[in-house]
Amino acid sequence: MRIGVLCGGGDCPGLNPAIRGIYLRGLDFSDEIIGILDGWKGLLEKKTQKLELSDIDEIMGRGGTILGTSRTNPYKKENGGKVCFDNFKELGLDSLIAIGGDDTLGVANKLFSDFNMPVVGVPKTMDNDLSATDWTFGFDTSVTSAIDALEKLRDTGRSHRRIMILEVMGRDTGWVALFTAIGGGADYVLIPEMNVNLEKMCEHLKKVYERKKHALVVVSEGIDLGKEETGSVDEFGHTILQKKGVGKIISDEIEKRTGIETRLAVIGHIQRGGTPTLFDRILGVRTGIKAVDLIHEKKFGRMVAQIGNKIADVSLSEGVGKTKFVDKEWIDLVDTVFK
Ligand code: F6P
């Protein structure tokens, strides 16, 4: 079979292992794997690269994606869906694997329902916010990087007797911030799923400071401070949250309310790069392999999912459009883990 593969949306560590899994499983079936460059943009423009073994030989430990990615939404272009489908046929592809988060998989689902295009999805996102799968690759590595940053902030915060704030990504959900804060032993966390109570937070930080003479706070970029959202949106309509700068607002408020010197660090895209962790490597490879299996089983319109420790599949229509928010079970733990 001639299988196209593309990566859409934000990059993350684990994409290259997934591409490697796809290629290696394809070899078992003598498939040809055609990389589509820069996400849906590449399909709109027929920009491809036939993958060879030498392309994937040494990519296991490389962050990002060898295929490139973009936030291009073909459905925002005139006749974009149809162009994608026509190009898919012109390229002689038998099926397409779309690796991405909710936006990319949403487009894959639409192409499947509008044109019966033989697509299969592989979930990825550092935000870990896809409801159909327990874990997505990218998350473990980005949280590991954020914890590393937090440990460094602890060193300087302790030396200068300061409160240190780390703003992390995660979009509308707080998985990245919460796991960074718990995993890094922070003193407080602000996530979109919980109301921001500045007074309560500052009282808590004053107590922590009395004890340790420093404190660490993790702030998710997506928290709602009741201010109007400003700034640009991407082609899928998402506000570019980093530009909102909630970390700065929180940092200024803490300093004003506690009288303690406070500094902010925004990890930003640093947490999207770097060599994938073991977890993300294995999940990437496993999901890539499964996608090729789904194609050979003719299970189109489906996406790979990790459910428990099993690699399973669900229909794309079930899997997209539902954000997985931090649930009560975790929120109930917050008072226990931050003392
Ligand atoms: O969805 C992944 C993510 O890293 C979010 O956490 C973040 O809000 C967004 O992408 C940033 O996107 P971009 O790289 O397009 O600025």
Side-chain angles (χ1 to χ4, degrees):
M1 278 184 130
R2 195 170 149 86
I3 302 175
V5 53
L6 63 80
C7 302
D11 70 331
C12 69
L15 287 167
N16 284 330
I19 295 165
R20 186 174 155 86
I22 290 168
Y23 187 88
L24 294 177
R25 191 59 169 153
L27 274 186
D28 292 342
F29 294 101
S30 305
D31 291 330
E32 239 185 322
I33 306 296
I34 308 298
I36 294 165
L37 307 180
D38 305 341
W40 297 115
K41 184 169 188 283
L43 191 54
L44 288 169
E45 296 170 5
K46 285 196 282 184
K47 276 185 7 199
T48 63
Q49 175 196 341
K50 181 176 177 320
L51 294 183
E52 306 291 349
L53 193 49
S54 57
D55 293 315
I56 59 101
D57 252 347
E58 299 192 5
I59 62 172
M60 193 50 135
R62 263 165 66 185
T65 160
I66 56 164
L67 298 179
T69 185
S70 69
R71 293 203 185 275
T72 300
N73 180 355
Y75 280 92
K76 284 277 165 194
K77 318 279 174 209
E78 214 184 315
N79 266 328
K82 174 89 169 57
V83 174
C84 282
F85 183 59
D86 290 346
N87 289 350
F88 169 83
K89 284 192 295 185
E90 274 174 42
L91 290 166
L93 297 172
D94 298 305
S95 57
L96 176 74
I97 299 173
I99 313 176
D102 199 56
D103 297 333
T104 306
L105 298 180
V107 171
N109 183 41
K110 232 174 149 358
L111 290 170
F112 176 70
S113 59
D114 291 353
F115 304 99
N116 206 18
M117 194 159 135
V119 291
V120 158
V122 170
K124 70 86 220 180
T125 164
M126 60 153 282
D127 302 335
N128 201 38
D129 61 354
L130 293 178
S131 62
T133 183
D134 290 349
W135 301 103
T136 46
F137 57 76
F139 176 69
D140 189 67
T141 309
S142 68
V143 172
T144 302
S145 296
I147 288 175
D148 181 56
L150 197 66
E151 299 287 7
K152 288 171 176 155
L153 292 180
R154 170 178 282 119
D155 291 343
T156 173
R158 192 195 286 121
S159 303
H160 282 266
R161 322 260 181 243
R162 285 172 173 159
I163 297 178
M164 304 301 293
I165 316 294
L166 177 64
E167 181 189 312
V168 297
M169 285 184 171
R171 199 139 8 227
D172 301 321
T173 68
W175 294 107
V176 174
L178 184 64
F179 277 45
T180 300
I182 296 176
D187 302 298
Y188 209 82
V189 70
L190 293 175
I191 59 173
E193 291 86 346
M194 296 173 69
N195 289 332
V196 177
N197 183 335
L198 291 174
E199 208 179 305
K200 183 176 166 216
M201 174 178 64
C202 290
E203 281 316 304
H204 177 77
L205 291 176
K206 278 198 251 174
K207 270 195 232 138
V208 171
Y209 192 83
E210 250 176 57
R211 191 171 84 231
K212 302 200 287 189
K213 294 287 171 279
H214 69 274
L216 289 174
V217 180
V218 181
V219 178
S220 176
E221 64 174 359
I223 57 167
D224 182 8
L225 293 174
K227 296 201 170 32
E228 225 162 79
E229 299 213 330
T230 51
S232 13
V233 291
D234 65 22
E235 285 199 8
F236 287 90
H238 303 296
T239 303
I240 300 170
L241 289 171
Q242 213 186 84
K243 297 195 177 164
K244 266 175 71 182
V246 290
K248 169 87 172 77
I249 300 171
I250 293 296
S251 167
D252 289 350
E253 280 294 331
I254 290 176
E255 193 167 67
K256 196 169 82 194
R257 287 169 186 246
T258 63
I260 302 166
E261 205 178 15
T262 302
R263 294 286 189 271
L264 164 72
V266 181
I267 185 168
H269 290 80
I270 294 169
Q271 77 183 115
R272 280 234 307 254
T275 186
T277 56
L278 170 66
F279 184 86
D280 285 341
R281 291 176 191 216
I282 299 298
L283 184 56
V285 170
R286 286 177 90 193
T287 50
I289 289 172
K290 177 74 176 180
V292 176
D293 286 343
L294 289 178
I295 285 173
H296 284 277
E297 289 160 19
K298 302 213 173 333
K299 289 170 100 176
F300 300 118
R302 304 199 57 86
M303 63 179 269
V304 182
Q306 178 170 2
I307 300 171
N309 197 29
K310 294 265 177 291
I311 300 297
D313 58 281
V314 298
S315 74
L316 275 167
S317 59
E318 262 175 72
V320 300
K322 287 171 229 135
T323 307
K324 180 175 70 187
F325 290 102
V326 172
D327 48 33
K328 190 172 174 315
E329 193 190 325
W330 284 105
I331 291 176
D332 286 348
L333 276 186
V334 161
D335 286 340
T336 304
V337 291
F338 304 112
K339 291 275 184 338

